[in-house]
Amino acid sequence: MSVVPTRLACRAWACQMWACQMWTCRADLFRRLIMVVGFCLLPLKLPAGLPAELPESASVDASVDTAATPDQSAIVAQVSPTEVSPAEVLPAEGATLQVAVTGVDDPALIENINAFLEILAESDQAIDNPPYIQYLIERGKAQISTALQPFGYYQSTVNVVSAAAGTGDSWHVDYQVVIGEPTTVSAIEVKVVGAGAADADFVEQRQAFPFQRGDVLQQIEYTAFKNALADIAIEKGYFDADFTTAEIRLAADLQTATVALTYDTGPRFTFDDPTISQDFLNDNLFSRYNTIESGQAYSSGAIADLQRDLYNSGYVQLIDVTAKPDRDSKTVPVDLALTPKKNKRHRFALGFETDLGPRFQYEFDWRWVNRRGHQLTSDFFISPEWQQTGVEYRIPANKPATDYYKLFADVTLDKTDNRDVTIWQVGGAYRDQVGHLAREFGVKWSQENFEIGNDAANVALLTPYFHLIYHKTDDPLNTRDGLAVEGYVTGTDASISDISFLQAVAKAKYIKRFDEKHKITTKGAIGQTWTDDFHVLPPSYRFFTGGDKTIRGYGFQSIGDVDGSGDVIGGDRLVFASAEYSYFFKDNMAIAAFVDAGDAFTSDFSIKVGAGLGFHYYSPIGPIKVDIAHGFDETGDAVRLHLNIGPDL
């Protein structure tokens, strides 16, 4: 929507200035003659950006930019324009301009009128060019009529009252609008033809046509429907698609309209051989990332998926995509030019958790150790009661976007009031993924030296394991709709380890946000360990609960069986469940109420319950949650503060 300049560099401007001077000299007859000539010339010299009135045989189709604007491509009708005519009395020079529109209550109509009405740019300002202001006053009638048309109002009447208000210090302009009855749809013919006629996306969109017979003619919805068809064509490679018919025909009385729309998709283009241009890793590695084949039906989603996989690889900083359709061969050659990240990254972080206290973390990423794309990561984590350091080496598999082999080693020190644990661990695994489901098969050797309560041992274990993960979310950081399910099975036998045991654990978490105000989070876990002697089972394979992420109102891992010394030693079984309701009083802020319950035990199940309230802030780096909880069991706290920073899933 162009903004009308307040100074017009043209002959009409000169005529207006002459008219203003003659007004001052009170040469009334000559003044009127000059004004008429000036206003006759003025429309011929307006800047190119000014919107024109609806011509007598108009073709209009709403396109949405800053305003809902009829754009002269679909409507066929005899719609008489509102004429711009010179006024008998000019606004007073120096007076403050006040503009009002009455007779319209719908906020959408008011917003569109405000976007069209050029005189509003002069409102609340002193009048320094009365002829120009008078021109805008008269022009405003046509602009208001035009602004109403995309909403189906073709029979509107606009009158304007322009006069000095009271003391003469202000000049009041009042547009009095009678919008009339809206135009309704009397007949509809919408077709999709060509190679995409049977395409499921086009069929679904065709069935979603926004009008039925008797509905009000809304050009905005009509244009949105057309744009949706064009978007599908671009997304799926129908690059020759076009509207062979796109017409809204208004009846002579403007009370009804017929809609005729035919969209010819033309042929669907196919991919030519994609190329990935880079010089820092072996081409064979990136060729395994490429899932697009020559001759495959074009889809912008396929290119987006390939870009996502390349970004997620950890190698790539920037991808420059070239995909220009060849209209002669009906193919789309695709080239992706890759810019690498820095090969090495160091990251330092300070933080605080109510469970672990202050913490320091260092991470090192060696993004490619060699041209085959092998990767190495290491981390060092330290807090008053927990320290861990480890390294992981990854080797891309046949489908490197999701599948890899890994070797790992780490050392963990867990020293709290009732335990002293040192764990040395090395292992290897293979991980693959199909859709949202990932699997990991691995084996690890560990040496665990521990004292917990009255239990103490030094145990060596060789444990194969299987980890199954289903993870689906609309946003990994701030999830509105998501589900995570995990299953874990591990065990060993005394023939290859110091003890025998078998363990299975299942966890689930579900998040659902309803409209913009309400969100429900539920989660739970269940676990079982089968062993002949629980007291020699290392603490890393025992179940504990309580803390920020399980049962709030209780200390970290403070729930479990208690031995004769009064220390918590965990259990061989786990049951846990949680329900939380959040109310969003702002887009990114919510208050929450929650109830958590569960127990870790070996013999007698005794449920522990915690409940409380929280304040949650959904920041660009993920949710920041402050919860205050009460533990109802004697091991719980009357009031306990919990702080969590990080993704929901």
Side-chain angles (χ1 to χ4, degrees):
M1 188 73 192
S2 301
V3 177
V4 180
T6 57
R7 301 290 187 270
L8 301 176
C10 57
R11 286 181 295 165
W13 174 256
C15 291
Q16 293 168 12
M17 293 300 296
W18 189 13
C20 291
Q21 294 169 4
M22 295 309 295
W23 173 270
T24 304
C25 296
R26 299 180 181 279
D28 187 65
L29 180 60
F30 194 56
R31 173 189 62 76
R32 291 171 179 266
L33 177 61
I34 293 300
M35 284 177 57
V36 171
V37 172
F39 279 112
C40 289
L41 293 176
L42 181 59
L44 301 178
K45 296 298 181 179
L46 289 175
L50 294 177
E53 283 81 7
L54 205 61
E56 288 189 0
S57 180
S59 290
V60 178
D61 179 14
S63 66
V64 180
D65 188 8
T66 56
T69 311
D71 73 5
Q72 320 237 351
S73 66
I75 291 189
V76 180
Q78 295 292 326
V79 181
S80 299
T82 303
E83 297 181 355
V84 177
S85 57
E88 293 295 323
V89 180
L90 286 173
E93 185 170 3
T96 301
L97 182 65
Q98 302 291 332
V99 181
V101 179
T102 59
V104 181
D105 298 324
D106 189 323
L109 298 181
I110 294 172
E111 182 179 0
N112 210 45
I113 289 171
N114 291 341
F116 265 82
L117 196 55
E118 297 166 3
I119 196 173
L120 289 177
E122 307 294 330
S123 184
D124 298 324
Q125 299 183 30
I127 298 172
D128 61 356
N129 183 4
Y132 172 64
I133 296 300
Q134 184 58 44
Y135 168 75
L136 292 181
I137 292 172
E138 295 297 329
R139 182 176 177 81
K141 293 190 290 186
Q143 291 169 345
I144 292 173
S145 294
T146 302
L148 295 173
Q149 291 170 13
F151 300 89
Y153 296 103
Y154 289 89
Q155 304 177 69
S156 60
T157 302
V158 183
N159 296 312
V160 61
V161 176
S162 175
T167 63
D169 293 335
S170 62
W171 191 270
H172 191 76
V173 178
D174 182 15
Y175 290 99
Q176 300 167 350
V177 182
V178 179
I179 61 176
E181 292 296 320
T183 300
T184 58
V185 178
S186 60
I188 301 170
E189 184 181 5
V190 178
K191 296 186 293 184
V192 176
V193 300
D199 188 299
D201 290 329
F202 281 120
V203 171
E204 182 180 356
Q205 185 60 33
R206 164 64 188 86
Q207 293 172 347
F209 187 71
F211 299 149
Q212 295 181 0
R213 292 184 61 182
D215 288 347
V216 174
L217 175 62
Q218 294 274 358
Q219 290 188 49
I220 297 173
E221 295 181 4
Y222 168 81
T223 302
F225 176 81
K226 288 178 59 182
N227 291 341
L229 289 176
D231 289 343
I232 294 172
I234 293 172
E235 178 185 347
K236 305 196 75 171
Y238 297 94
F239 294 111
D240 291 338
D242 199 5
F243 292 95
T244 57
T245 304
E247 182 177 278
I248 299 175
R249 182 171 294 277
L250 298 179
D253 58 6
L254 303 181
Q255 294 182 0
T256 61
T258 60
V259 179
L261 192 67
T262 302
Y263 192 57
D264 188 347
T265 69
R268 186 174 185 181
F269 286 41
T270 59
F271 282 111
D272 203 347
D273 286 318
T275 59
I276 298 176
S277 305
Q278 56 83 35
D279 59 3
F280 58 98
L281 292 175
N282 290 345
D283 289 336
N284 175 264
L285 173 65
F286 285 112
S287 69
R288 302 204 308 271
Y289 275 93
N290 183 20
T291 56
I292 299 174
E293 298 179 358
S294 179
Q296 176 183 330
Y298 176 87
S299 166
S300 62
I303 298 177
D305 289 344
L306 177 54
Q307 286 181 276
R308 178 202 62 209
D309 291 343
L310 290 171
Y311 278 123
N312 290 342
S313 69
Y315 308 125
V316 180
Q317 176 69 32
L318 182 66
I319 303 175
D320 185 11
V321 180
T322 303
K324 185 177 181 180
D326 185 330
R327 299 193 179 278
D328 294 330
S329 64
K330 308 302 180 188
T331 61
V332 184
V334 178
D335 180 73
L336 297 95
L338 310 185
T339 301
K341 289 182 176 180
K342 291 182 179 180
N343 192 11
K344 297 181 177 67
R345 186 197 72 158
H346 303 269
R347 178 176 175 268
F348 300 87
L350 294 173
F352 179 85
E353 288 186 13
T354 51
D355 285 341
L356 299 178
R359 65 185 188 183
F360 168 77
Q361 188 169 6
Y362 165 71
E363 294 179 356
F364 170 70
D365 288 341
W366 193 352
R367 291 186 168 113
W368 60 93
V369 177
N370 50 43
R371 290 187 62 88
R372 294 188 297 277
H374 294 193
Q375 298 174 314
L376 183 144
T377 62
S378 65
D379 67 89
F380 176 76
F381 179 95
I382 184 170
S383 69
E385 298 181 347
W386 181 281
Q387 299 89 43
Q388 184 177 53
T389 184
V391 62
E392 180 176 292
Y393 189 89
R394 289 190 181 185
I395 303 170
N398 190 47
K399 293 167 44 179
T402 55
D403 306 347
Y404 58 86
Y405 302 91
K406 69 177 182 180
L407 302 171
F408 56 88
D410 57 67
V411 180
T412 302
L413 303 178
D414 179 5
K415 299 182 183 296
T416 59
D417 292 340
N418 70 326
R419 73 176 76 174
D420 185 347
V421 182
T422 302
I423 306 172
W424 298 82
Q425 180 174 266
V426 297
Y430 170 73
R431 181 186 175 101
D432 63 7
Q433 182 171 338
V434 178
H436 299 288
L437 184 65
R439 303 177 301 174
E440 183 171 315
F441 307 86
V443 62
K444 61 185 178 181
W445 173 88
S446 63
Q447 184 78 39
E448 189 159 345
N449 187 3
F450 68 90
E451 294 180 8
I452 180 168
N454 293 326
D455 297 339
N458 190 353
V459 179
L461 301 173
L462 182 63
T463 52
Y465 69 88
F466 172 61
H467 195 185
L468 190 67
I469 306 166
Y470 179 87
H471 191 276
K472 184 178 182 181
T473 176
D474 59 345
D475 185 340
L477 280 179
N478 293 313
T479 303
R480 296 175 60 94
D481 192 351
L483 174 65
V485 179
E486 291 187 52
Y488 185 82
V489 178
T490 188
T492 188
D493 185 76
S495 61
I496 57 174
S497 301
D498 289 343
I499 63 171
S500 298
F501 75 93
L502 176 65
Q503 184 175 87
V505 183
K507 300 178 181 179
K509 186 173 184 178
Y510 175 68
I511 297 172
K512 181 67 176 180
R513 185 166 173 177
F514 301 91
D515 56 58
E516 297 302 317
K517 297 292 185 182
H518 312 285
K519 181 177 178 179
I520 292 176
T521 302
T522 59
K523 58 183 177 180
I526 186 170
Q528 172 78 56
T529 303
W530 294 268
T531 182
D532 293 334
D533 188 352
F534 173 79
H535 295 284
V536 295
L537 185 70
S540 62
Y541 291 96
R542 301 185 185 190
F543 294 116
F544 299 85
T545 189
D548 297 343
K549 294 179 171 57
T550 54
I551 304 178
R552 287 161 285 189
Y554 297 80
F556 177 58
Q557 294 192 352
S558 65
I559 298 175
D561 277 1
V562 178
D563 67 3
S565 65
D567 292 325
V568 177
I569 61 172
D572 59 11
R573 279 168 282 183
L574 171 70
V575 176
F576 158 69
S578 172
E580 179 177 283
Y581 166 75
S582 301
Y583 175 78
F584 286 79
F585 59 92
K586 287 190 175 181
D587 289 344
N588 59 349
M589 295 183 187
I591 54 175
F594 57 85
V595 177
D596 306 329
D599 192 19
F601 59 99
T602 54
S603 54
D604 297 328
F605 173 68
S606 177
I607 191 168
K608 312 297 190 295
V609 178
L613 301 173
F615 169 77
H616 299 172
Y617 170 62
Y618 290 80
S619 74
I621 62 171
I624 300 173
K625 299 182 177 182
V626 180
D627 297 324
I628 298 176
H630 171 70
F632 291 90
D633 187 79
E634 62 180 10
T635 59
D637 296 329
V639 176
R640 187 174 183 87
L641 177 68
H642 297 274
L643 174 64
N644 270 304
I645 302 175
D648 280 326
L649 284 181

